[in-house]
Amino acid sequence: MNADRASSLFWLFVGVVISVASFRLDVGSFRTPGMGFMPFGAAALLGLLAVISFFQAAVKEKAANKPPLFRGTRWPKVLFVFAGLLIYVQALPLAGYNISTFLLMTFLFWIVERQQVWKVAIFALLTTVITYYVFSKWLNCQFPVSPLGF
Amino acid sequence: MEILSDLYLGFQVALTPANLLFCCIGVVIGTLVGVLPGIGPVGAMALLLPATFGVAIHSSLIMLAGIYYGAMYGGSTTSILVNIPGEAASVVTCIDGYQMARHGRAGAALGISAIGSFIGGTLSIIGLMLIARPLANAALGFGPPEYFALMCAGLIILTYLTQGSMVRALMMALVGILLGTIGLDMVVGLPRFTFGVNELTDGIGIIPLVMGLFGVAEVFMNIETVIKREVFQTEIKHIWPSLADYAQSKWAILRGSVLGFFLGILPGGGAVLASFLSYGIEKKLSKEPERFGKGAIEGVAGPETANNAAAGGAMIPLLSLGIPPNIVMAMLFSAFLIHGVQPGPLLMQNSPDIFWGLVVSMYVGNAMLLLLNLPLIGIWVQLLKIPYRILMPLILLFCLIGAYSVTNSTFDVSLMILFGGVGYLMRKFGYEAAPLVLAFVMGPLLEQNLRQSLLMSQGSFAIFATRPISAVTLVVACLLLLSNLIPFMKKKREKVEEILKEE
């Protein structure tokens, strides 16, 4: 199955799930639309369009053979960065802005393009300190503080 | 005479030291994001929106609008010098702008694009002043059916004009509407699709959504592919174009102004379409079309003028009708709402200082851009040399801080990262984010007007057909939808898309 057809099936699934959930919310009637009225209509239309898109993709698939979407790309890096960001959000309230941001920036500078470790550490430290002072001290943004007090 | 007193009021607002400062900050940041690939005007506006919560609405709107038209100016610099557009509206400038740079005429290309942008921007503001009031007066008679029809038409036109599959664009608009339904229902007051998460009771914030889909997703795309940027090594001299350059460009600039202004008004039209069409028209009208693609100055002047003129035109539906025609205006619309002001037909009556202050600030901003851009081109060029390995992590960090600073909660940051992942996959699978965001912003209004219309008509959909404005608007929207199914029209549309891709 190609990417277009797979994505159409995904949206069809989303449309069906939300239609069912909206129906349970109370669709109401045309005279007195309930709070599920709009989401039901939108989700049903989404499902319908997903079916059309699926068949369009099936027809196009015969005409053109597209290469796989992720071939020749650095998608594992994107996955690592995505995971790193999610871990950062979890660590932020626990470790505070300075420690978690320093670790995140070290990771990001290193993974985007491999550089010497000391360069990465200096860039990360500078970025953390400058953004902390600009946003926290100057713009009064309230960053979380680590148990160590910074 | 009324317009003169309105302008006087506008200048009183726009020329206060605070507003001049915010205008200057806006246009400088706009130029910066236009120059630097990786974050466009939408992402920058989302990033800076929280920073404007504490300032007066005039200053906030003036700065955000400045980012938009500043980005239109800045985008041309990368197109001309690096052959990589800073933002989408400058894609077409690469064709002749880069060729001019290769032939040692980078200064003239940068100069004519700045001057064309200034003229286009100024003429469109004059158009905005002339059209906005009559349109707002007419819109005072609009009721829920008319607003519902206009918003539907807006979304359909936007999906019609997006590149790629219209079906997919419509799907994204529906996803945007669905995301907009999350939170408290406006009539019943009960939570909807919140899954017991307290933070979702107020709905999904526009800032994490936009930053995720545009800022984080763009960084992910840049991490995924290795892009080599090489600033063309040339001495930038003779920034003021010669008389011959002006003579060659004058009609392109005038045509670009008119075209850009009217396309800017169209929902979804905006700067990108204006620049592409302007290039196509200039090439078609030229006596020597073979010069295009080899460094024709009209190929730079026309599109650059058109994309700035579109920025002014796009303000009309937002300020007069309260309907954002494109995603940048959707961000401005959100800024209005955050400050407790509803843009629309009553804006000019209830808050003339905001309306005219914003309009006049665009004059002032355009003049600032002309003064800033030409002498500071050297600095913008230096900025282009910031390596991706530094730039991309920094953009990510700014997005994280921006999302966090809205509510000082990590929930919005998590949402932004999630939308970043979704945005990346959407790009990979060929789904556009713009219809999603515009529908997300308009969704609650669309639902409110639909439900009010049905309550008014006691459940009859005939209300949309019996009121002339809604009937005509919906017929136009339906025709556009059908045109995608009629083979002849579909082929025409696909042909236009192919031409745009080739250009």
Side-chain angles (χ1 to χ4, degrees), chain A residues 132-148:
Chain A
Y132 177 75
Y133 273 94
V134 169
F135 288 96
S136 176
K137 301 289 176 194
W138 189 38
L139 295 172
N140 289 325
C141 192
Q142 292 173 334
F143 288 134
V145 180
S146 74
L148 300 170

Side-chain angles (χ1 to χ4, degrees), chain B residues 16-39:
Chain B
T16 60
N19 288 340
L20 278 175
L21 177 69
F22 276 95
C23 187
C24 185
I25 294 172
V27 295
V28 170
I29 292 174
T31 310
L32 188 70
V33 298
V35 167
L36 293 175
I39 187 164

Side-chain angles (χ1 to χ4, degrees), chain B residues 431-490:
Chain B
Y431 291 91
E432 288 193 46
L436 189 155
V437 175
L438 194 65
F440 172 79
V441 172
M442 290 213 278
L445 278 175
L446 196 75
E447 182 179 12
Q448 189 186 347
N449 284 297
L450 173 65
R451 282 165 84 170
Q452 280 178 353
S453 304
L454 289 175
L455 284 170
M456 278 165 66
S457 67
Q458 297 191 316
S460 168
F461 277 92
I463 192 168
F464 298 111
T466 50
R467 299 175 65 129
I469 294 173
S470 69
V472 171
T473 315
L474 286 176
V475 165
V476 171
C478 287
L479 284 175
L480 278 178
L481 267 180
L482 288 173
S483 74
N484 204 42
L485 299 174
I486 301 166
F488 164 74
M489 292 289 283
K490 197 178 173 184

Side-chain angles (χ1 to χ4, degrees), chain B residues 76 79-80 89-98 113 299-300 303-304 307:
Chain B
S76 58
S79 297
I80 291 165
S90 300
V91 170
V92 79
T93 310
C94 291
I95 304 168
D96 282 285
Y98 187 63
S113 80
V300 177
E304 280 303 313
N307 69 29

Side-chain angles (χ1 to χ4, degrees), chain B residues 125-464:
Chain B
I125 296 162
I126 293 169
L128 166 67
M129 279 164 35
L130 296 174
I131 290 180
R133 187 182 287 278
L135 192 62
N137 288 339
L140 284 173
F142 289 4
E146 283 80 10
Y147 271 107
F148 175 76
L150 279 171
M151 280 186 260
C152 276
L155 282 176
I156 288 170
I157 296 172
L158 174 79
T159 55
Y160 184 80
L161 293 174
T162 47
Q163 282 188 17
S165 162
M166 187 179 175
V167 173
R168 284 170 168 229
L170 276 172
M171 283 163 69
M172 287 304 97
L174 290 166
V175 173
I177 289 174
L178 287 170
L179 287 173
T181 61
I182 294 173
L184 280 184
D185 177 71
M186 70 195 94
V187 177
V188 190
L190 289 172
R192 201 166 43 171
F193 303 129
T194 56
F195 309 105
V197 180
N198 284 337
E199 286 91 343
L200 283 178
T201 312
D202 287 336
I204 292 173
I206 177 91
I207 292 166
L209 179 82
V210 172
M211 273 190 192
L213 290 177
F214 286 86
V216 178
E218 181 69 35
V219 174
F220 285 169
M221 289 302 290
N222 280 299
I223 291 173
E224 189 205 56
T225 43
V226 187
I227 302 171
K228 283 194 176 165
R229 289 181 304 167
E230 280 176 24
V231 180
F232 194 71
Q233 296 298 324
T234 179
E235 198 185 337
I236 300 167
K237 51 190 176 182
H238 306 305
I239 277 178
W240 294 106
S242 65
L243 281 176
D245 290 334
Y246 282 118
Q248 272 183 315
S249 310
K250 63 183 178 192
W251 294 114
I253 289 175
L254 274 177
R255 278 190 290 264
S257 301
V258 176
L259 185 78
F261 175 70
F262 285 105
L263 283 175
I265 300 174
L266 273 183
V272 182
L273 188 68
S275 59
F276 273 101
L277 275 181
S278 169
Y279 187 82
I281 288 173
E282 292 314 317
K283 193 174 174 182
K284 201 109 191 152
L285 293 179
S286 173
K287 286 173 188 164
E288 304 159 280
E290 64 280 0
R291 284 196 305 115
F292 280 74
K294 293 171 189 162
I297 197 162
E298 307 96 293
V300 177
E304 280 303 313
T305 307
N307 69 29
N308 261 64
M315 292 273 178
I316 291 179
L318 176 72
L319 298 178
S320 310
L321 305 175
I323 299 174
N326 60 41
I327 183 168
V328 182
M329 290 299 118
M331 287 307 300
L332 216 54
F333 181 75
S334 302
F336 268 106
L337 297 185
I338 285 167
H339 284 275
V341 176
Q342 176 76 46
L346 291 173
L347 181 70
M348 238 184 278
Q349 283 180 18
N350 296 344
S351 312
D353 51 329
I354 297 176
F355 181 91
W356 291 105
L358 181 60
V359 171
V360 171
S361 81
M362 290 165 71
Y363 275 126
V364 178
N366 271 301
M368 275 183 188
L369 280 167
L370 194 62
L371 293 175
L372 277 174
N373 269 277
L374 294 182
L376 296 184
I377 276 171
I379 293 175
W380 303 131
V381 172
Q382 289 305 314
L383 280 172
L384 280 171
K385 292 177 182 168
I386 298 176
Y388 266 57
R389 62 177 187 275
I390 307 284
L391 194 61
M392 293 305 143
L394 284 180
I395 292 173
L396 270 183
L397 181 62
F398 289 138
C399 288
L400 291 168
I401 295 172
Y404 180 82
S405 63
V406 181
T407 53
N408 287 339
S409 119
T410 51
F411 182 77
D412 278 348
V413 185
S414 305
L415 266 185
M416 182 196 70
I417 296 167
L418 189 72
F419 282 121
V422 172
Y424 166 72
L425 289 176
M426 279 170 58
R427 286 170 195 227
K428 293 295 291 179
F429 284 88
Y431 291 91
E432 288 193 46
L436 189 155
V437 175
L438 194 65
F440 172 79
V441 172
M442 290 213 278
L445 278 175
L446 196 75
E447 182 179 12
Q448 189 186 347
N449 284 297
L450 173 65
R451 282 165 84 170
Q452 280 178 353
S453 304
L454 289 175
L455 284 170
M456 278 165 66
S457 67
Q458 297 191 316
S460 168
F461 277 92
I463 192 168
F464 298 111

Side-chain angles (χ1 to χ4, degrees), chain A residues 10-89:
Chain A
F10 170 76
W11 291 117
L12 176 63
F13 173 74
V14 171
V16 171
V17 169
I18 298 176
S19 298
V20 173
S22 313
F23 204 77
R24 286 184 185 163
L25 271 179
D26 174 27
V27 175
S29 63
F30 289 143
R31 197 180 282 258
T32 49
M35 65 177 184
F37 185 80
M38 186 77 172
F40 178 77
L45 259 177
L46 176 65
L48 180 72
L49 289 172
V51 172
I52 295 173
S53 172
F54 180 84
F55 284 110
Q56 279 184 340
V59 172
K60 275 184 189 166
E61 193 183 18
K62 285 174 190 165
N65 233 339
K66 282 185 191 172
L69 285 181
F70 294 92
R71 185 188 288 168
T73 65
R74 305 192 299 177
W75 66 266
K77 280 197 177 195
V78 177
L79 202 63
F80 281 125
V81 172
F82 184 72
L85 291 174
L86 287 178
I87 294 168
Y88 171 76
V89 179

